[in-house]
Amino acid sequence: AAPPGAATPPSQGGWSVQLGLFAKRENAERLMHAALAKGFTVGIAGPDAKGLYRVHATGLADRAAAQALSERLHARGLAASIAAPP
């Protein structure tokens, strides 16, 4: 079973929650490890076309699931924003 606050696997849905966007991968990794230490399943995507690395939880089934995860992240001291499917 996934730890409390963990995102569902990517195959479950297209919603995501972004924790941060960084120019340096090291900074993205630092945030990712902090979130993992708090029991959240997150990853790093990038670099994108602008050279930025995104720390996010993906695969959330719907907006309600993304909102619930965002609230749990905020409660544990992590900033988060919801991203709709592309």
Side-chain angles (χ1 to χ4, degrees):
T8 55
S11 62
Q12 298 298 311
W15 288 82
S16 63
V17 176
Q18 180 174 304
L19 286 76
L21 189 63
F22 299 92
K24 294 186 177 186
R25 184 171 178 90
E26 296 81 23
N27 294 334
E29 288 176 358
R30 191 174 305 119
L31 177 57
M32 179 187 73
H33 290 299
L36 291 172
K38 293 182 180 194
F40 296 99
T41 303
V42 299
I44 298 173
D48 64 11
K50 295 181 181 180
L52 300 174
Y53 297 89
R54 180 179 325 274
V55 179
H56 61 149
T58 61
L60 299 161
D62 53 31
R63 182 171 180 77
Q67 182 66 40
L69 178 57
S70 177
E71 289 171 6
R72 289 192 302 274
L73 287 161
H74 282 283
R76 298 295 305 269
L78 296 166
S81 61
I82 298 169

